């Protein structure tokens, strides 16, 4: 009788706690020396539900990470009526100087609850060394605003552009034949690709997705940026041996 009482008590505790409990039960009323182990298992329903929910969340996050950025880029590019070259030209009218980058990105909504909207962000280096970040509406070409940025690479940018004949507008136009240009940026360090300073341009096209290119500062030659496409085959594109920009 005592054995049954012990097992019943342990079973109830296991069911309440949602775990697995091992109990020692005597074989008789008067024989404390003989014992056996009785494993009582509970279903653990709450823990199982939590684990299943976490796994589902992880799968959803993985799907979002894999395709979310590409879909966002495609949506921005398809909705933009103003090209990268046109956005740069508009920014230069607002803040005269040398454009060093332009990117089609999202601008946060305001405090009234407006949703994010696409915007061209153009960085311009003025003659006095001041950097301006100019926002341009990709639908109308209207300048939405301008801010002054503090950057410490002014000397490097000017050194890279010295003697160049291809600016951001011309680089964007040169790469436009490969797809919709979503960004153009000066790589003044020459860290990627052939080791020389160049314009880095990203394009988006149907069937090929996002692609990265380098445009020579002197020649305007468009070549595949192998630093972003290692192992990919672009044999139908321009020669990857490097431009003649020394």
């Amino acid at each position: 009788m005592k054995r049954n009482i012990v097992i019943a008590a342990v079973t109830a505790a296991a069911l309440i706690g949602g775990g697995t409990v091992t109990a020692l039960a005597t074989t008789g009323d008067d024989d404390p020396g003989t014992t056996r182990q009785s494993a009582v298992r509970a279903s653990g329903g709450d823990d199982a539900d939590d684990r299943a929910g976490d796994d589902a969340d992880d799968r959803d996050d993985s799907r979002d990470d894999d395709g979310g950025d590409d879909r966002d880029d495609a949506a921005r590019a398809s909705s933009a009526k103003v090209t990268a070259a046109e956005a740069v030209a508009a920014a230069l009218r607002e803040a005269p100087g040398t454009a060093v980058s332009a990117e089609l990105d999202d601008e946060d909504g305001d405090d009234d609850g407006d949703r994010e909207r696409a915007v061209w962000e153009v960085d311009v280096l003025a003659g006095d060394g001041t950097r301006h970040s100019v926002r341009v509406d990709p639908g109308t070409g209207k300048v939405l605003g301008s801010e002054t940025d503090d950057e410490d690479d002014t000397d490097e940018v000017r050194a890279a552009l010295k003697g160049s004949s291809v600016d951001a507008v011309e680089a964007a136009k040169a790469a436009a034949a490969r797809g919709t240009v979503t960004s153009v940026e000066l790589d003044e360090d020459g860290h990627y690709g052939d080791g020389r300073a160049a314009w880095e341009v990203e394009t988006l096209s149907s069937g090929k997705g996002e692609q990265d290119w380098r445009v020579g500062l002197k020649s305007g030659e468009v070549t595949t940026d192998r630093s972003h496409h290692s192992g990919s085959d672009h044999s139908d594109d321009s020669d990857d041996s490097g431009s003649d920009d020394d």
Side-chain angles (χ1 to χ4, degrees), residues 5 8 69 99 103 161 170 174 185 190 200 206 223:
I5 294 174
D69 291 342
E103 181 180 10
L161 292 173
E170 293 167 326
E185 181 177 7
E200 291 184 334
S206 177
T223 56

Side-chain angles (χ1 to χ4, degrees), residues 51-216:
R51 287 193 296 270
D54 291 341
D55 291 342
D57 289 342
D58 290 341
R59 289 192 294 270
D60 290 342
D61 291 342
S62 177
R63 285 193 293 267
D64 289 342
D65 292 341
D66 291 340
D69 291 342
D70 290 342
R71 288 193 295 270
D72 290 344
D73 290 343
R76 284 194 295 267
S78 63
S79 65
K81 298 179 181 179
V82 176
T83 66
E86 292 169 341
V88 171
L92 292 175
R93 288 193 293 270
E94 173 71 17
T98 302
V100 295
S101 71
E103 181 180 10
L104 184 61
D105 204 348
D106 284 334
E107 181 181 47
D108 292 337
D110 57 28
D111 295 334
D112 295 332
D114 290 343
R115 295 186 301 175
E116 293 181 345
R117 60 177 177 178
V119 65
W120 280 108
E121 294 184 356
V122 184
D123 285 345
V124 178
L125 176 62
D128 61 359
T130 304
R131 292 282 285 265
H132 299 275
S133 178
V134 184
R135 301 187 309 280
V136 179
D137 190 317
T140 64
K142 179 182 178 181
V143 173
L144 302 175
S146 177
E147 298 177 356
T148 301
D149 293 333
D150 294 328
E151 299 287 348
D152 57 3
D153 62 348
T154 301
D155 292 339
E156 290 84 350
V157 170
R158 285 178 171 167
L161 292 173
K162 185 177 181 180
S164 66
S165 56
V166 178
D167 59 18
V169 170
E170 293 167 326
K173 289 180 177 180
R178 271 73 176 178
T180 300
V181 176
T182 56
S183 76
V184 53
E185 181 177 7
L186 177 67
D187 171 24
E188 70 272 14
D189 297 326
H191 180 68
Y192 298 115
D194 55 17
R196 301 186 181 98
W199 292 106
E200 291 184 334
V201 184
E202 289 185 0
T203 63
L204 195 64
S205 60
S206 177
K208 293 187 177 181
E210 183 180 288
Q211 294 178 288
D212 300 278
W213 311 93
R214 291 176 67 80
V215 181

Side-chain angles (χ1 to χ4, degrees), residues 23-36:
L24 294 178
T26 61
T27 60
D29 294 346
D30 300 325
D31 189 5
T34 304
T35 62
R36 67 182 178 84

